[in-house]
Amino acid sequence: MRLGIVGCGLIGQKRAAAASGHSVALVTDLDTGRAEALSAKTGAQLAPDWQTLVAADLDAVIVATTHGSLAAIARAALEGGKHVLVEKPAGMTVAEVQGVAEAARASGKLCKVGFNHRFHPAIWKAKEMVDSGAVGAMMFVRGRYGHGGRLGMEKEWRAIPELSGGGELIDQGSHLIDLSRWFMGDLELAFAATPTLFWDMKVDDNCFLALKNSAGNIAWLHASWSEWKNMFSLEIYGRDGKLVIEGLGGSYGPETLTFHKMLPQMGPPETTMWDFAGPDVSWQAEFADFVRAIETGGRASGDIEDALAMHKIIAAAYRESAS
Amino acid sequence: MRLGIVGCGLIGQKRAAAASGHSVALVTDLDTGRAEALSAKTGAQLAPDWQTLVAADLDAVIVATTHGSLAAIARAALEGGKHVLVEKPAGMTVAEVQGVAEAARASGKLCKVGFNHRFHPAIWKAKEMVDSGAVGAMMFVRGRYGHGGRLGMEKEWRAIPELSGGGELIDQGSHLIDLSRWFMGDLELAFAATPTLFWDMKVDDNCFLALKNSAGNIAWLHASWSEWKNMFSLEIYGRDGKLVIEGLGGSYGPETLTFHKMLPQMGPPETTMWDFAGPDVSWQAEFADFVRAIETGGRASGDIEDALAMHKIIAAAYRESAS
Amino acid sequence: MRLGIVGCGLIGQKRAAAASGHSVALVTDLDTGRAEALSAKTGAQLAPDWQTLVAADLDAVIVATTHGSLAAIARAALEGGKHVLVEKPAGMTVAEVQGVAEAARASGKLCKVGFNHRFHPAIWKAKEMVDSGAVGAMMFVRGRYGHGGRLGMEKEWRAIPELSGGGELIDQGSHLIDLSRWFMGDLELAFAATPTLFWDMKVDDNCFLALKNSAGNIAWLHASWSEWKNMFSLEIYGRDGKLVIEGLGGSYGPETLTFHKMLPQMGPPETTMWDFAGPDVSWQAEFADFVRAIETGGRASGDIEDALAMHKIIAAAYRESAS
Amino acid sequence: MRLGIVGCGLIGQKRAAAASGHSVALVTDLDTGRAEALSAKTGAQLAPDWQTLVAADLDAVIVATTHGSLAAIARAALEGGKHVLVEKPAGMTVAEVQGVAEAARASGKLCKVGFNHRFHPAIWKAKEMVDSGAVGAMMFVRGRYGHGGRLGMEKEWRAIPELSGGGELIDQGSHLIDLSRWFMGDLELAFAATPTLFWDMKVDDNCFLALKNSAGNIAWLHASWSEWKNMFSLEIYGRDGKLVIEGLGGSYGPETLTFHKMLPQMGPPETTMWDFAGPDVSWQAEFADFVRAIETGGRASGDIEDALAMHKIIAAAYRESAS
């Protein structure tokens, strides 16, 4: 495929590196230096602005900008007949994301969203095990995700509502929501608290969420910017066992998956653990899923419809907290 | 002190063993064999029934029966002018426990409730550290407590509402509520779900609770009878660090306390961990607290007023779940 | 089978419990009370002494006495035409064990030795994996085994050379030697130090052993009675990966097996861990192996020839340390 | 101080960064590009060769070259009247290092050797605890140090005897020897095996060492280039407790120190663990020790006399293995 990349920061560079076997033909960034650096690395030509890029002769466009412009660029690219891979959260509001989703439906092009946590090997393997029936019918998930904090965090763009669309709920909380939906299907909000407990900022720094579906499954989620030590934990409970994912590599600790399988006699379960210590291959896996979906005409794992459902939960959470 | 014990099962025996230095003078149990066994072990005389026991010449009465009779016996003992140590939850309803609390106030006698988790060494040390300011002002706690399940659990007395007063909420959930109140002060219910997800029983087997206070502190709690592997985890977050308690010994895993202390430069915290591998001394410590409170005329750590506050939260949780 | 048991202490009782499906016909013990208790439990008749027992109409004899009489009883039972399951170390000296081995060869009866560590599920599974080629050709093993110590340990029978035949080398060290031979085949002593570092006793309280074979494989072993916290660790290295066994359950910590599998690109290995948290089934498994070997006419896993080879290493170690 | 640096590779750069507050005045490297890069970073001038550098007007010289030239440069710098910080192992043979030690004695200048493991915070704290009597009189240490291996390792300079002076014994084994001497004082070789078990190379890829002193203390050490997963573990046993250091950060896992303190009643020890998750500060701490020693005229922690003692053990080990 001939690819265009809008946004040449850290994520744009990772996307380019993960697209090996395809041609990065065109790149652009408000920061010309960054665009030039990625051009030098990939051999891509420079586009003067994203409007030019999305109108060019490309098969697919990767949108890796800050939250505020994701939706507009993705929508224009779809309307220009390109497949799109847009970073999470794909927009700042339900309305924005709805617009992108409608553009995707109208164009018949794929709009994948960068829910890259799905492609972490421990999480992906957990999903395969759930789908194969390893833990039986789902009961509930517990998710804990947190950042340990760093000096000046309250002044970063994520803390400024106009640039981010929200705080920790939209940052790490969105991943927990997406993963809960992936493991349990459609969910709606049962409870939310999105307080600002520590940082002097205008967005939430903690979000506590209870989601549920009609089958009585519950997702019990907490994400925090005052976790004091980076952590990721997702515990998935079925009638026949549980799967526990801990860590995401790097400062989030070794990524492991533990399977506790209930035995007929109950008592201590049979426990198996896998340690995924290798380099982060989630970006390659995610891009491969994008390509697969385009080639087969199927859905991508994590697309604009998933992002829309997630945004509806986020909006409901902010409404509930404000009331 | 001259002690009487009503209920000579496992807990009554542990209470007797923990009261060394005092005289177990009188014991009774509906199961005469159990009463005789404890009598043989302690040298206590047998009382024909609890009514006789609470009227006898005793300084204090330990009430270690099943949930349904805890309140009536405790109340009668207080009215008989005895100090009382009654097992958690001290009664099945707010009204019952209110009656006991009023009897305690009227009699001027102490009514301690067996919230023995407070006296586990990791939890006790955590409380001392919080009180000494080690983690700064409180922000929130997360609690997870679960039983791995055993065959036939759905037929045990805890699963029968008339005998237990409720399911997992009143069993392990009550400990999480009490500990949250201990660390953060008075709390009220913000959200509850008390579903029956796995077991074929008429009580809840899972409870998800959000509690909060006017300062914005949150207790985010989940207790489960379908945890598949026994677990206890309490995470306590202040503005300057966090304390993590894992395990309760035995099948709940080694009891440890980990202190993550934030540094001025933020980034990775300074981490210290204590491992409490020795024998369970919580029963001795709890009895010592009972004696101390009697001698000093102060409150016990975990008394009937705490039980009453806990029951109000439990009642609110069942109401919310039913609505 | 009709079984006789000589020695009705803790181990004799475990052996009886593990022999379900067979008939414990006759038991004896110098301590008549213990013999009567086991008789009551199993329905066995009492023999006045071991000489009578080994001469009776039995298929097999279990010898679970202290070290000093193991060899004499085992030998007599074999000469009486019985299969024998004798506790480790099967005798106190090479000469004693050689005598038993010769009696076994002469009688054509099986003489299994209670190397029960082989039958711990993590260790057994590790052996199966090694045999299936999971880690490739063996390179070396590292073993660490230690007891945390208890008051008065220096006065127990294990500390008295006449009763034990040696100290920590013959106690926990013998297991490490047997396991090393099991995983790597015949080995000879390359180095030994058997100091008495902590306890005021006439036997070694620590043993440091290097064993090797002609292929250059090395077993690097340390067992200690001054380990301060009970521990068991066996690390098994092949050309394609390593297997790590930690814990033996109970106070030795959860029993786990971890497999680190080297990948063609090297770097971090693929890691899988199994947690064996259930009740100790090693005694049942070991007895089943005894029965299997009798029925098939094959060797038991851990027999008198293995014990003889182990004793030759122990004797060499004591000689080297003394020189 | 005015510093000169010979060798501008990774280690030389780290040494320069750790010397803040002092002036890096002169640098040199056989690879001119590397020298220029470090010059640009530090403002240092370029010396055409090390002979020129050691003769210049400097207070101290850092020698961070490959093993083969360490001794010659260090010796010349000392003879030129400079203090010296030379990387471990400070030379390839006893004779070389003896020459450096004599030059240091003759010049009255300090010759510190880069045994930087001493300055890892977990190890440093362990030493302070031992010195303060926390574990009582020393009994033994166990050390395990290993590299997981990487493709082509057998062709790297460390595998070529002429460049390295030896294999894993001189690479990671030397750290274990130095740390053992640091904790227990002078030691001599009791046993060594230095086989080449996995890699197709002319040096040892594993070393098994037993060291001892006249008090009966033992250091039981194994270092391996076929460890399959990077690991570092040092266990230090005194009569009153043990200290366990695990990890060195990064791919060696989180650096932790665990203290098991024996209680008078024995049984499970009191356990405290410290987690050192922060950035690696060992280089700064080591340089500060260099400065302190120069200013006070005392010995540095890890100097040329320590390196000489270590080389005598290494030489003895290679002799024993060859015999």
Side-chain angles (χ1 to χ4, degrees):
Chain A
M1 293 199 294
R2 282 173 57 83
L3 304 171
I5 298 180
V6 183
C8 301
L10 188 62
I11 304 295
Q13 293 162 35
K14 285 194 184 190
R15 293 287 181 206
S20 68
H22 297 269
S23 158
V24 180
L26 213 51
V27 299
T28 191
D29 195 297
L30 291 178
D31 177 336
T32 315
R34 296 204 304 195
E36 284 168 354
L38 190 56
S39 162
K41 210 165 178 179
T42 59
Q45 289 196 281
L46 291 172
D49 49 40
W50 67 259
Q51 289 86 349
T52 308
L53 186 144
V54 301
D57 175 29
L58 298 167
D59 298 302
V61 172
I62 292 170
V63 188
T65 63
T66 48
H67 292 180
S69 52
L70 290 171
I73 302 171
R75 186 171 178 167
L78 288 160
E79 290 168 353
K82 276 78 182 176
H83 299 294
V84 167
L85 170 48
V86 59
E87 293 310 318
K88 177 223 80 158
M92 300 214 298
T93 64
V94 170
E96 272 192 3
V97 177
Q98 186 113 36
V100 183
E102 281 162 12
R105 291 176 213 142
S107 70
K109 294 294 171 182
L110 192 81
C111 184
K112 179 173 171 68
V113 178
F115 290 117
N116 81 310
H117 285 34
R118 295 185 180 206
F119 297 91
H120 270 264
I123 300 175
W124 190 265
K125 182 179 177 78
K127 183 62 162 62
E128 287 179 336
M129 291 177 73
V130 168
D131 289 349
S132 74
V135 296
M138 289 295 305
M139 296 197 300
F140 56 88
V141 305
R142 284 197 304 240
R144 296 174 292 151
Y145 197 1
H147 191 286
R150 61 177 161 250
L151 288 181
M153 207 167 175
E154 76 279 16
K155 294 196 167 61
E156 299 179 10
W157 73 268
R158 290 181 189 281
I160 301 168
E162 296 73 28
L163 300 181
S164 62
E168 171 64 335
L169 172 54
I170 213 161
D171 179 23
Q172 297 187 310
S174 61
H175 281 295
L176 291 180
I177 295 170
D178 180 62
L179 293 173
S180 298
R181 291 186 66 255
W182 198 37
F183 279 97
M184 301 205 301
D186 280 337
L187 295 164
E188 59 184 34
L189 188 74
F191 172 76
T194 59
T196 308
L197 293 174
F198 179 79
W199 297 96
D200 182 17
M201 50 172 64
K202 291 196 175 134
V203 295
D204 52 291
D205 60 12
N206 276 268
C207 63
F208 300 86
L209 300 176
L211 312 181
K212 67 178 177 189
N213 64 14
S214 56
N217 298 143
I218 290 180
W220 190 245
L221 311 175
H222 177 211
S224 175
W225 278 343
S226 57
E227 180 61 43
W228 303 147
K229 187 172 172 124
N230 292 355
M231 78 116 74
F232 178 85
S233 167
L234 186 66
E235 301 166 290
I236 300 156
Y237 291 75
R239 294 185 66 86
D240 302 332
K242 69 172 164 174
L243 291 161
V244 180
I245 298 144
E246 305 273 354
L248 290 173
S251 61
Y252 283 84
E255 184 176 331
T256 61
L257 171 64
T258 306
F259 174 34
H260 299 285
K261 179 183 177 179
M262 288 309 285
L263 304 173
Q265 71 270 33
M266 301 196 84
E270 186 182 289
T271 297
T272 312
M273 192 267 275
W274 297 268
D275 185 345
F276 299 90
D280 183 356
V281 297
S282 64
W283 302 90
Q284 280 83 352
E286 188 169 28
F287 195 81
D289 180 69
F290 182 46
V291 173
R292 175 202 55 75
I294 292 170
E295 289 176 349
T296 63
R299 280 186 70 176
S301 180
D303 67 7
I304 195 68
E305 303 294 343
D306 293 310
L308 181 56
M310 175 198 77
H311 268 284
K312 288 178 179 171
I313 290 171
I314 288 172
Y318 280 134
R319 272 198 307 275
E320 167 149 344
S321 298
S323 69
Chain B
M1 293 198 294
R2 282 174 56 81
L3 304 171
I5 297 180
V6 184
C8 303
L10 187 63
I11 303 293
Q13 294 163 34
K14 285 193 184 189
R15 292 287 181 207
S20 67
H22 298 267
S23 157
V24 181
L26 214 51
V27 299
T28 192
D29 195 297
L30 292 178
D31 177 336
T32 316
R34 294 206 304 195
E36 284 168 353
L38 190 56
S39 162
K41 212 166 177 178
T42 59
Q45 289 197 280
L46 291 173
D49 50 40
W50 66 260
Q51 289 86 348
T52 308
L53 186 143
V54 300
D57 174 27
L58 297 168
D59 298 302
V61 173
I62 292 170
V63 189
T65 63
T66 49
H67 292 179
S69 51
L70 290 171
I73 302 170
R75 187 172 175 164
L78 288 161
E79 289 168 354
K82 277 77 183 174
H83 299 294
V84 168
L85 170 49
V86 58
E87 293 309 318
K88 177 224 76 158
M92 300 214 297
T93 63
V94 170
E96 273 193 0
V97 176
Q98 185 112 38
V100 183
E102 282 162 11
R105 289 176 215 145
S107 70
K109 294 293 170 183
L110 192 81
C111 183
K112 180 173 169 70
V113 179
F115 289 118
N116 81 311
H117 285 34
R118 294 185 182 207
F119 297 91
H120 270 264
I123 299 175
W124 190 266
K125 183 179 178 75
K127 184 61 163 61
E128 288 180 335
M129 292 178 73
V130 167
D131 289 350
S132 74
V135 298
M138 290 294 304
M139 296 198 299
F140 56 87
V141 306
R142 286 197 303 239
R144 297 174 292 151
Y145 197 3
H147 191 287
R150 60 177 162 251
L151 288 181
M153 205 166 175
E154 76 280 16
K155 296 197 168 59
E156 298 179 11
W157 71 267
R158 290 183 190 280
I160 302 167
E162 295 73 29
L163 301 181
S164 62
E168 171 64 334
L169 172 55
I170 213 161
D171 179 21
Q172 297 186 309
S174 62
H175 281 295
L176 291 180
I177 294 170
D178 179 63
L179 292 174
S180 298
R181 290 187 65 256
W182 199 37
F183 279 97
M184 301 205 302
D186 280 338
L187 294 165
E188 59 184 34
L189 187 75
F191 173 77
T194 59
T196 307
L197 293 174
F198 179 80
W199 297 97
D200 182 16
M201 50 172 64
K202 289 197 176 134
V203 294
D204 51 291
D205 60 13
N206 276 269
C207 63
F208 300 86
L209 300 177
L211 312 181
K212 66 177 177 191
N213 65 13
S214 56
N217 297 143
I218 290 180
W220 191 244
L221 311 175
H222 177 209
S224 175
W225 279 344
S226 58
E227 180 61 44
W228 302 148
K229 185 169 174 126
N230 292 356
M231 79 116 75
F232 177 84
S233 168
L234 185 66
E235 301 166 290
I236 300 157
Y237 292 74
R239 294 183 66 84
D240 302 332
K242 68 172 165 176
L243 291 161
V244 180
I245 298 143
E246 305 274 354
L248 292 172
S251 62
Y252 282 84
E255 185 175 331
T256 61
L257 171 64
T258 306
F259 174 33
H260 299 285
K261 179 184 177 178
M262 287 310 284
L263 303 173
Q265 70 272 31
M266 302 197 83
E270 186 183 291
T271 298
T272 311
M273 192 268 275
W274 297 267
D275 186 345
F276 299 89
D280 184 355
V281 296
S282 63
W283 302 90
Q284 281 83 351
E286 189 169 27
F287 195 81
D289 180 69
F290 182 45
V291 174
R292 176 202 56 75
I294 291 171
E295 290 176 349
T296 63
R299 282 186 69 177
S301 181
D303 66 9
I304 194 68
E305 303 294 342
D306 293 311
L308 181 56
M310 176 198 77
H311 267 285
K312 288 178 179 172
I313 291 171
I314 290 173
Y318 280 135
R319 272 198 307 275
E320 165 148 345
S321 297
S323 69
Chain C
M1 291 199 296
R2 283 173 56 82
L3 303 171
I5 297 180
V6 183
C8 302
L10 188 63
I11 302 295
Q13 293 161 35
K14 285 193 185 190
R15 293 284 180 208
S20 67
H22 297 268
S23 159
V24 180
L26 213 50
V27 299
T28 192
D29 195 296
L30 291 177
D31 176 337
T32 316
R34 295 204 307 194
E36 283 168 354
L38 189 56
S39 162
K41 210 164 178 182
T42 58
Q45 289 197 280
L46 291 173
D49 50 39
W50 67 259
Q51 289 86 348
T52 309
L53 187 142
V54 301
D57 175 29
L58 298 167
D59 298 303
V61 173
I62 292 170
V63 188
T65 63
T66 48
H67 293 178
S69 52
L70 290 171
I73 303 171
R75 187 172 176 166
L78 289 160
E79 289 167 354
K82 277 78 183 176
H83 298 294
V84 168
L85 170 49
V86 59
E87 292 309 320
K88 176 223 79 155
M92 301 215 295
T93 62
V94 170
E96 272 193 3
V97 177
Q98 185 114 37
V100 183
E102 281 162 12
R105 289 176 215 143
S107 70
K109 294 292 170 182
L110 192 80
C111 183
K112 180 174 169 70
V113 178
F115 290 117
N116 81 311
H117 285 35
R118 295 186 180 205
F119 297 91
H120 271 263
I123 299 174
W124 191 265
K125 183 179 177 76
K127 183 61 160 64
E128 288 179 336
M129 291 177 73
V130 167
D131 288 349
S132 75
V135 297
M138 290 296 303
M139 295 198 299
F140 56 88
V141 306
R142 284 198 303 240
R144 296 173 293 150
Y145 196 2
H147 191 286
R150 59 178 163 251
L151 288 181
M153 205 165 176
E154 76 278 18
K155 298 196 166 59
E156 299 180 12
W157 72 266
R158 291 182 189 282
I160 301 167
E162 296 72 30
L163 300 181
S164 62
E168 171 64 335
L169 171 55
I170 212 162
D171 179 21
Q172 297 187 310
S174 62
H175 282 296
L176 292 180
I177 295 170
D178 180 62
L179 293 173
S180 298
R181 289 188 65 256
W182 199 36
F183 279 97
M184 303 204 299
D186 281 338
L187 294 165
E188 59 185 35
L189 187 74
F191 173 77
T194 59
T196 307
L197 293 174
F198 179 80
W199 297 96
D200 182 16
M201 51 173 61
K202 291 196 175 135
V203 295
D204 51 292
D205 60 13
N206 276 269
C207 62
F208 300 86
L209 300 177
L211 312 181
K212 66 179 178 187
N213 64 13
S214 56
N217 297 144
I218 290 180
W220 189 244
L221 311 175
H222 177 210
S224 175
W225 278 345
S226 58
E227 181 60 44
W228 303 148
K229 187 171 174 125
N230 293 355
M231 80 116 74
F232 177 85
S233 168
L234 186 65
E235 302 166 289
I236 300 156
Y237 292 74
R239 294 185 65 85
D240 302 333
K242 68 172 164 174
L243 291 160
V244 180
I245 298 144
E246 305 274 354
L248 291 172
S251 62
Y252 283 84
E255 184 175 331
T256 61
L257 171 63
T258 305
F259 174 33
H260 299 284
K261 179 183 176 179
M262 287 311 284
L263 304 173
Q265 71 270 30
M266 302 198 81
E270 186 181 290
T271 297
T272 311
M273 192 267 276
W274 297 267
D275 185 346
F276 299 90
D280 183 356
V281 296
S282 64
W283 303 90
Q284 280 84 354
E286 188 169 28
F287 195 82
D289 180 70
F290 182 47
V291 174
R292 175 201 57 73
I294 293 170
E295 289 176 349
T296 63
R299 280 184 70 175
S301 180
D303 65 9
I304 194 67
E305 303 294 344
D306 293 309
L308 181 56
M310 176 198 77
H311 268 284
K312 288 179 179 171
I313 290 171
I314 288 173
Y318 280 135
R319 270 198 307 275
E320 166 149 345
S321 298
S323 67
Chain D
M1 290 200 297
R2 284 171 57 81
L3 304 171
I5 298 180
V6 183
C8 301
L10 188 62
I11 303 295
Q13 294 163 36
K14 285 193 184 189
R15 292 287 179 206
S20 67
H22 297 268
S23 159
V24 180
L26 212 51
V27 299
T28 192
D29 196 296
L30 291 177
D31 177 338
T32 315
R34 294 204 307 195
E36 283 168 355
L38 189 56
S39 162
K41 213 166 176 178
T42 58
Q45 288 195 280
L46 292 173
D49 50 40
W50 66 261
Q51 289 87 347
T52 308
L53 187 142
V54 300
D57 175 29
L58 298 167
D59 298 303
V61 172
I62 293 170
V63 188
T65 63
T66 48
H67 292 179
S69 50
L70 290 171
I73 302 171
R75 186 172 178 166
L78 289 161
E79 289 168 353
K82 276 78 183 175
H83 298 295
V84 167
L85 171 48
V86 58
E87 293 309 318
K88 177 224 82 166
M92 301 213 297
T93 63
V94 170
E96 272 193 0
V97 176
Q98 185 114 34
V100 182
E102 282 162 11
R105 290 175 214 144
S107 70
K109 294 293 170 181
L110 192 81
C111 184
K112 180 174 170 69
V113 178
F115 289 118
N116 81 310
H117 285 35
R118 295 186 180 205
F119 297 91
H120 270 264
I123 298 175
W124 190 266
K125 184 180 177 75
K127 183 62 163 61
E128 288 179 335
M129 292 178 73
V130 167
D131 289 349
S132 75
V135 298
M138 290 295 304
M139 296 198 298
F140 57 87
V141 305
R142 284 197 303 240
R144 297 173 293 150
Y145 197 1
H147 191 286
R150 60 178 163 251
L151 288 181
M153 205 167 176
E154 76 279 16
K155 295 197 168 59
E156 299 180 11
W157 70 268
R158 291 181 189 280
I160 301 169
E162 296 73 28
L163 300 182
S164 61
E168 172 62 336
L169 171 55
I170 213 161
D171 179 20
Q172 297 187 310
S174 61
H175 281 296
L176 292 180
I177 295 170
D178 180 62
L179 293 173
S180 298
R181 289 187 66 256
W182 199 36
F183 279 97
M184 302 205 302
D186 279 337
L187 295 165
E188 58 185 35
L189 187 75
F191 173 76
T194 59
T196 307
L197 293 173
F198 178 78
W199 297 97
D200 182 16
M201 50 173 62
K202 290 196 176 137
V203 294
D204 51 293
D205 60 12
N206 277 269
C207 62
F208 300 85
L209 300 177
L211 311 181
K212 66 177 177 190
N213 64 14
S214 56
N217 298 143
I218 290 180
W220 191 243
L221 311 175
H222 177 210
S224 175
W225 278 344
S226 58
E227 181 59 47
W228 302 148
K229 187 171 173 125
N230 292 356
M231 79 117 73
F232 177 85
S233 168
L234 185 66
E235 301 166 289
I236 300 157
Y237 291 75
R239 292 185 68 86
D240 301 332
K242 69 173 163 173
L243 291 160
V244 180
I245 298 144
E246 304 273 355
L248 292 172
S251 61
Y252 282 83
E255 185 176 330
T256 61
L257 171 64
T258 306
F259 174 34
H260 299 285
K261 179 184 176 177
M262 287 311 284
L263 303 173
Q265 72 272 31
M266 302 198 84
E270 187 182 288
T271 298
T272 311
M273 191 268 276
W274 298 267
D275 186 346
F276 299 89
D280 183 355
V281 295
S282 63
W283 303 89
Q284 280 83 354
E286 188 169 28
F287 195 81
D289 181 69
F290 182 45
V291 174
R292 176 201 56 73
I294 292 172
E295 289 176 349
T296 63
R299 279 186 71 176
S301 181
D303 66 9
I304 194 69
E305 303 294 342
D306 293 309
L308 181 57
M310 175 197 79
H311 267 284
K312 287 179 179 171
I313 291 172
I314 289 173
Y318 280 135
R319 271 198 307 275
E320 165 148 346
S321 298
S323 68

